[in-house]
């Protein structure tokens, strides 16, 4: 079975945790345990988030005032190498020596007229108090929004249109290489009026990019792995309920937060409708159970009305 996994940036670096290399290595080690179990029995392609990582790189770049800060597309490429290296190493420590890995820089086309550029929603970087976030927004020209009880920087998150390296990814996957690609939603690029390709100051949502990747690869399953157990109704309230199964149409009737669960549910529904495959959302520690329908939220056209755990 061909399985595409979208590994959440907050699963790689837990919310509020210091953004040290050691913390990221430890979190990726935990993630690698689940990913290695999937790779033993299935063809595995891994996409991952980079919100915390690319935000940290942006802060580091801004601290060096001798030159202009590097744009987000370049920082996104840097984060693909950073996270891909850590995933390869930690999975390699758990799998047979002959298992092959490849981390691929992945350019993804976006529409320069995408309305997302007028309404930034993608969280990047660390969390702040409201006061600190407002200070940084004023001094650095950031857009900021609340993220739970904290505040964070937000940037545009345009929809992915085309994965330029898709044929290379297919070739590697068909050779049973564990491919790590479309990191951070891929490197956002667009065509200029003269026909040349250029980077874009944005971060593509990795769950939507993962759904496009899974569709174009003809995947059987698409797992969105994060730091929560499932998709919940009435999240954060006393009457919250974890959804176990739902059809794309049924779960699309509900509303979820734009900056967090909303894109995950939309991406899962998009994949399930387009392919007839199974999409799952849940905790990265339960990845193998999710494939068996024993954990997380399963979204499939074969499901009916919403069921709860």
């Amino acid at each position: 079975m061909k399985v595409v996994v979208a590994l959440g940036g907050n699963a790689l670096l837990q919310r509020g945790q210091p953004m040290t290399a050691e913390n990221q290595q430890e979190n990726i080690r935990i993630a690698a345990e689940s990913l290695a179990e999937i790779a033993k029995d299935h063809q595995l392609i891994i996409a991952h988030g980079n919100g915390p990582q690319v935000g940290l790189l942006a802060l580091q770049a801004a601290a060096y005032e001798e030159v202009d800060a590097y744009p987000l597309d370049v920082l996104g490429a840097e984060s693909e190498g950073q996270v891909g290296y850590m995933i390869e190493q930690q999975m390699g420590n758990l799998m047979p020596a002959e298992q092959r890995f490849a981390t691929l820089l992945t350019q993804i086309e976006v529409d320069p007229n995408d309305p997302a550029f007028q309404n930034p929603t993608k969280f990047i970087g660390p969390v702040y108090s409201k006061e600190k976030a407002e200070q940084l927004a004023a001094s650095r020209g950031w857009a900021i929004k609340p993220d739970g009880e904290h505040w964070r920087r937000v940037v545009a998150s345009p929809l992915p249109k085309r994965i330029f390296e898709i044929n290379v990814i297919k070739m590697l996957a068909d050779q049973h290489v564990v491919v790590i690609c479309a990191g951070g939603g891929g490197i956002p690029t667009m065509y200029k009026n003269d026909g040349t390709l250029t980077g874009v100051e944005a971060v593509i949502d990795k769950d939507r990019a993962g759904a496009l990747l899974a569709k174009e690869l003809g995947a059987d399953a698409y797992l969105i792995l994060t730091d929560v157990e499932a998709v919940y109704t009435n999240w954060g309230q006393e009457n919250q309920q974890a959804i176990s199964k739902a059809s794309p149409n049924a779960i699309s009737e509900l509303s979820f937060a734009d900056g967090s669960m909303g894109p995950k549910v939309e991406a899962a529904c998009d994949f399930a409708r387009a392919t007839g495959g199974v999409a799952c959302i849940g905790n990265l520690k339960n990845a193998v159970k999710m494939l068996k329908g024993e954990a997380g939220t399963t979204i499939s056209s074969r499901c009916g009305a919403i069921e709860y755990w």
Side-chain angles (χ1 to χ4, degrees):
M1 186 161 67
K2 186 178 292 183
V3 180
V4 171
V5 167
L7 192 61
N10 287 327
L12 300 177
L13 190 69
Q14 296 174 22
R15 193 179 302 274
Q17 193 176 36
M19 291 192 291
T20 65
E22 292 78 12
N23 283 336
Q24 292 184 69
Q25 284 279 22
E26 176 59 20
N27 288 323
I28 289 174
R29 184 192 65 76
I30 294 170
E33 293 176 357
S34 293
L35 297 175
E37 283 298 312
I38 294 174
K40 287 178 183 177
D41 299 318
H42 305 290
Q43 199 174 30
L44 178 63
I45 302 94
I46 304 169
H48 61 80
N50 73 342
Q53 291 79 13
V54 78
L56 176 60
L57 289 171
L59 286 171
Q60 292 171 336
Y64 181 62
E65 298 179 350
E66 298 300 317
V67 297
D68 291 338
Y70 277 36
L72 284 176
D73 60 301
V74 175
L75 300 181
E78 289 184 27
S79 73
E80 285 190 334
Q82 170 192 340
V83 177
Y85 156 68
M86 293 182 178
I87 293 174
E88 282 195 29
Q89 187 177 83
Q90 295 301 327
M91 287 190 68
N93 288 335
L94 297 170
M95 300 193 70
E98 60 269 20
Q99 177 62 57
R100 295 168 296 171
F101 300 88
T103 296
L104 189 67
L105 291 177
T106 313
Q107 298 180 91
I108 296 186
E109 183 184 3
V110 301
D111 185 347
N113 297 315
D114 192 304
F117 288 108
Q118 308 304 318
N119 179 33
T121 60
K122 179 63 178 176
F123 292 114
I124 66 169
V127 297
Y128 302 101
S129 67
K130 183 178 181 182
E131 180 182 9
K132 181 64 175 178
E134 289 176 342
Q135 290 174 355
L136 290 168
S139 64
R140 297 180 177 175
W142 290 358
I144 58 171
K145 286 186 178 180
D147 182 12
E149 61 184 15
H150 302 286
W151 285 71
R152 294 176 73 186
R153 181 186 177 188
V154 289
V155 298
S157 183
L159 293 175
K161 293 178 58 181
R162 176 166 52 147
I163 300 171
F164 286 102
E165 289 79 13
I166 191 64
N167 289 330
V168 179
I169 297 168
K170 287 178 180 177
M171 178 182 66
L172 291 168
D174 287 343
Q175 295 299 315
H176 304 287
V177 176
V178 174
V179 185
I180 303 158
C181 57
I187 304 165
T189 57
M190 66 182 183
Y191 283 107
K192 298 193 293 187
N193 291 335
D194 63 3
T196 59
L197 196 65
T198 186
V200 184
E201 189 76 355
V203 173
I204 301 169
D205 181 81
K206 69 99 180 37
D207 300 311
R208 291 186 170 118
L212 178 61
L213 176 67
K215 286 189 295 182
E216 296 200 358
L217 290 175
D220 302 288
Y222 176 42
L223 304 186
I224 299 176
L225 303 182
T226 183
D227 56 355
V228 297
E229 299 302 315
V231 180
Y232 287 82
T233 58
N234 303 312
W235 170 250
Q237 302 177 34
E238 291 184 0
N239 62 339
Q240 71 178 27
Q241 288 184 285
I243 298 171
S244 62
K245 298 177 183 179
S247 69
N249 289 343
I251 201 167
S252 293
E253 294 295 319
L254 305 177
S255 296
F256 301 97
D258 286 341
S260 55
M261 192 55 72
K264 292 175 172 53
V265 171
E266 290 174 10
C269 290
D270 183 29
F271 169 77
R273 287 191 179 107
T275 66
V278 174
C280 303
I281 303 172
N283 193 293
L284 68 92
K285 296 179 182 179
N286 296 328
V288 176
K289 289 184 177 180
M290 288 164 61
L291 275 178
K292 299 176 181 178
E294 298 173 355
T297 298
T298 297
I299 298 173
S300 170
S301 297
R302 292 176 292 226
C303 299
I306 294 174
E307 300 179 30
Y308 298 91
W309 287 108

